[in-house]
Amino acid sequence: NAGVTQTPKFQVLKTGQSMTLQCAQDMNHEYMSWYRQDPGMGLRLIHYSVGAGITDQGEVPNGYNVSRSTTEDFPLRLLSAAPSQTSVYFCASSIRDRGSGYTFGSGTRLTVV
Amino acid sequence: AQSVSQHNHHVILSEAASLELGCNYSYGGTVNLFWYVQYPGQHLQLLLKYFSGDPLVKGIKGFEAEFIKSKFSFNLRKPSVQWSDTAEYFCAVKQYYGGATNKLIFGTGTLLAVQP
């Protein structure tokens, strides 16, 4: 049981480049979310999804796109990377149950130069 | 909008000292409350959660937290910390609108350093 798998683990981009952070879960979880973690700011929600075909914006969505074509996958796209997007990105998933916590992936450390 | 406040940004304790980390949230409706821990270089792991019922909840590794609805608080406690508890601790709140589950919002985290 792999849980939540994120790829890549590390990435360096040049300003203006695009890339997709991958997230996959094998637990049949309905809910999936993307967070970014920055020192002193905790985890901030970028986008989330309550099921295939349904996505919504979180606290800091600008500069990021998501889609959810399947239950398992929830990729995060950076269309034109900026240095302000240098961060550690975590994907998380959860079942629909109200009392359930989220299971987190191991993170992607992204540096934009 | 929902917000979560963790007032202690950096805590330094000696082994065997008692720990209490504060967490307050702003939403007055139905909420679920969580504490997560992040050990150095690792991802977040769930320590404990409050859903309903007994406001004193016990989690893994000897941690517990008390939900005080009147104070909008969910403080984390441990009677005696160990060096291995050195980590960053995050409080998180899941709120509900119209009965539908909603997103999980995190506080800014508390970095705990336990000195041997």
Side-chain angles (χ1 to χ4, degrees), chain A residues 31 35 37 40-43 45 48 57 59 90 94 96-102 104-106, chain B residues 30 32 34 36 38 42-44 46 49 51 88 90 94 96 101-108:
Chain A
Y31 295 162
Y35 292 87
Q37 183 179 24
M41 305 189 76
L43 279 82
L45 182 64
Y48 66 104
Q57 295 182 348
E59 303 167 89
F90 288 99
S94 168
R96 183 186 297 272
D97 185 84
R98 278 180 52 182
S100 63
Y102 274 75
F104 282 81
S106 56
Chain B
T30 303
N32 288 161
F34 304 82
Y36 283 84
Q38 185 178 32
Q42 296 188 25
H43 60 284
L44 277 78
L46 182 65
K49 63 182 180 181
F51 174 46
E88 192 159 16
F90 294 93
K94 189 191 290 186
Y96 299 93
T101 307
N102 212 302
K103 50 198 175 187
L104 190 64
I105 303 298
F106 283 84
T108 53

Side-chain angles (χ1 to χ4, degrees), chain B residues 74-90:
Chain B
F74 190 55
N75 292 354
L76 181 70
R77 300 195 292 247
K78 186 171 185 180
S80 176
V81 295
Q82 301 172 324
W83 177 79
S84 58
D85 293 323
T86 294
E88 192 159 16
Y89 293 81
F90 294 93

Side-chain angles (χ1 to χ4, degrees), chain B:
Chain B
Q2 171 72 266
S3 66
V4 181
S5 299
Q6 292 182 244
H7 305 295
N8 313 105
H9 298 294
H10 198 177
V11 173
I12 302 174
L13 294 174
S14 298
E15 276 193 314
S18 64
L19 169 72
E20 181 161 3
L21 301 182
C23 173
N24 289 90
Y25 61 95
S26 61
Y27 184 61
T30 303
V31 293
N32 288 161
L33 302 159
F34 304 82
W35 276 97
Y36 283 84
V37 61
Q38 185 178 32
Y39 297 104
Q42 296 188 25
H43 60 284
L44 277 78
Q45 302 171 42
L46 182 65
L47 263 183
L48 49 77
K49 63 182 180 181
Y50 172 79
F51 174 46
S52 64
D54 189 345
L56 183 63
V57 294
K58 295 189 183 299
I60 60 172
K61 305 186 180 186
F63 286 91
E64 64 179 31
E66 185 176 13
F67 170 51
I68 303 179
K69 189 174 182 179
S70 61
K71 295 185 178 180
F72 298 89
S73 71
F74 190 55
N75 292 354
L76 181 70
R77 300 195 292 247
K78 186 171 185 180
S80 176
V81 295
Q82 301 172 324
W83 177 79
S84 58
D85 293 323
T86 294
E88 192 159 16
Y89 293 81
F90 294 93
C91 181
V93 176
K94 189 191 290 186
Q95 64 189 71
Y96 299 93
Y97 297 115
T101 307
N102 212 302
K103 50 198 175 187
L104 190 64
I105 303 298
F106 283 84
T108 53
T110 297
L111 197 57
L112 171 66
V114 179
Q115 297 175 332

Side-chain angles (χ1 to χ4, degrees), chain A residues 25-65:
Chain A
Q25 53 91 8
D26 61 358
M27 299 171 285
N28 203 32
H29 285 176
E30 295 98 331
Y31 295 162
M32 297 186 75
S33 299
W34 275 102
Y35 292 87
R36 59 176 290 173
Q37 183 179 24
D38 302 289
M41 305 189 76
L43 279 82
R44 291 180 292 169
L45 182 64
I46 305 172
H47 286 284
Y48 66 104
S49 169
V50 298
I54 306 170
T55 63
D56 204 350
Q57 295 182 348
E59 303 167 89
V60 289
N62 292 340
Y64 307 95
N65 281 350

